[in-house]
Amino acid sequence: MKIAVIGTGYVGITTAASLGELGHQVIGVDIDREKISKLSKGILPIYEPGVEELIQEQLRDKTLFFTTDISEAVKESEIIFIAVGTPSLPNGQPNMTYVEDVAKELGKSIGEYKIVVNKSTVPVGTADRVKELIISEIRQRKLQVAVDVISNPEFLQEGKALQDARKPDRIVIGSDSEVAKEKMCKLYEKVDAPLFITTPRNAEMIKYASNAFLATKISYINEIAKLCDLLRVDVTDVAKGMGLDKRIGPHFLQAGVGYGGSCFPKDVAALYSMGKNAKMEMSILRQVQEVNNSQPEWLLEQMSNKLKGFHGKRVALLGLAFKPDTDDIREAPSLKLIPLLLQAGAFVIAYDPIVHSKIKDRFPDIILAKTAYQAIKNTDAILLCTEWKEFLYLDWLKVKEEMKGQHVFDARNVLPQKELESYGFLYWGVGRNSSAN
Ligand SMILES: NC(=O)c1ccc[n+]([C@@H]2O[C@H](COP(=O)([O-])OP(=O)(O)OC[C@H]3O[C@@H](n4cnc5c(N)ncnc54)[C@H](O)[C@@H]3O)[C@@H](O)[C@H]2O)c1
């Protein structure tokens, strides 16, 4: 099938590459000229394992193209995906400008029946709104053209986006049109995943309710972790014991510095504000946000107690991305920790395997190291903020020799506590029965 994907960010580019892999002919569209110029040369403007190789292959085979010209892409395609951003506004509502701009642009170009598929995470009712905008533009051109707008929310996780696109847990299709439903089933027929077909409004809600539920699990275990810290209980064992219950499951039960990234914070806020618009106070979601927002401060308070204050202390911050295997720092916990550490008088030496200039531009007062070993040299404490694989396999004897102090704060509960303690480190994990307590 011939497909257009509007917006070539984390979701759009993965969607384009994975649809190409299924044998479809894909055109990726973006308003960002630099992005399109890089993509046309086979250079991925983001870090996402496996995607660059795939787009290079498809560019070579001439099954994938990139353009800034939306009308050209519309003309060539039967199905048009919208995958532009829906970031939070200050009041928590999603900024729908990008989706609405695309809808208007589509309305200016569509001249025959098309299926428009919304992949962006959007409030309930957006499929209808997008259709209205498209039809109104078409009518201004004195044309009568049928358009189906459906919802197909995306559930991929950055860092393993391709894996998730190739074998998702489910594909949700929200459509009121039989023709569009059939086409979508055909589009995904080679994907090994259950198809869940429902209405556009239900599909839109499934996305928000799923992300908010995962965020709730994280805030819940973080609250349990705080109590574990007070009661000398190890939350990692508690989570393991809980996760063995099939009704609970082991995922998203890792206590830590809190959730971040471009989805959970904004999606929880959006769902909360959807409730408010419907005159309903979603008190669970308010608490989920409060627990998450306070987690970095709580963590630094623990650190400050153990270090007897931050003033003049050198802290190695390991990991800046909001999670491993991505360069995405949107709402990353590191962005909250750095200013708090600086305000408290600490010197911050940061290191991330992928994130470099983005963070330095934001925080000129920190030192950016080239390796983890360079970052930890002569520091009083290590704060592990992102669980990149390379941090799990550090040579801890070498680290001990290079460090001035002996405190290791593991904000992701992933380091080998016993091994570290055997080398004489004072280890502290989130809600663990730690030697540093
Ligand atoms: N990133 C994720 O892990 C993830 C996962 C699931 C769902 N989502 C949802 O998918 C959507 C996209 O997220 P993302 O992380 O890929 O965003 P992104 O910011 O990485 O990419 C959005 C892209 O859209 C482009 N764009 C904006 N306006 C445009 C226009 N008028 N025409 C063409 N291109 C335009 C931007 O230039 C940018 O390249 C969001 O609604 C998000 O909530 C994201």
Side-chain angles (χ1 to χ4, degrees), residues 18 22 119 152-157 160-172 188 190-195:
S18 56
L22 292 174
K119 250 199 183 303
N152 172 211
E154 182 53 62
F155 299 96
L156 65 76
Q157 303 166 77
K160 41 189 200 143
L162 204 51
Q163 194 182 319
D164 286 344
R166 283 173 176 157
K167 202 173 176 341
D169 287 346
R170 79 296 208 189
I171 295 171
V172 174
Y188 286 125
K190 289 194 199 145
V191 183
D192 177 19
L195 279 183

Side-chain angles (χ1 to χ4, degrees), residues 339-401:
L340 290 172
L341 283 165
L342 293 173
Q343 268 162 33
F347 292 103
V348 178
I349 306 101
Y351 167 72
D352 187 282
I354 295 290
V355 178
H356 305 293
S357 53
K358 271 189 204 171
I359 212 94
K360 189 69 187 160
D361 297 345
R362 231 156 150 152
F363 302 108
D365 291 342
I366 66 169
I367 296 167
L368 210 53
K370 289 199 166 64
T371 65
Y373 294 106
Q374 196 183 63
I376 51 103
K377 212 172 171 63
N378 292 327
T379 49
D380 296 279
I382 291 175
L383 170 54
L384 184 137
C385 189
T386 316
E387 64 277 35
W388 284 94
K389 215 178 218 163
E390 69 169 81
F391 301 149
L392 312 187
Y393 301 105
L394 288 174
D395 176 347
W396 289 102
L397 263 179
K398 184 173 166 184
V399 173
K400 187 81 187 18
E401 278 163 22

Side-chain angles (χ1 to χ4, degrees), residues 40-82:
S40 302
K41 293 182 198 129
I43 303 165
L44 195 66
I46 53 165
Y47 178 80
E48 186 56 55
V51 177
E52 189 167 78
E53 294 80 342
L54 208 54
I55 63 168
Q56 285 172 356
E57 201 181 300
Q58 293 172 18
L59 284 169
R60 263 197 310 273
D61 293 347
K62 301 200 183 317
T63 56
L64 175 63
F65 296 90
F66 293 100
T67 178
T68 52
D69 184 351
I70 193 167
S71 59
E72 179 199 338
V74 167
K75 214 179 340 156
E76 294 295 321
S77 319
E78 29 187 334
I79 303 182
I80 302 156
F81 279 87
I82 303 179

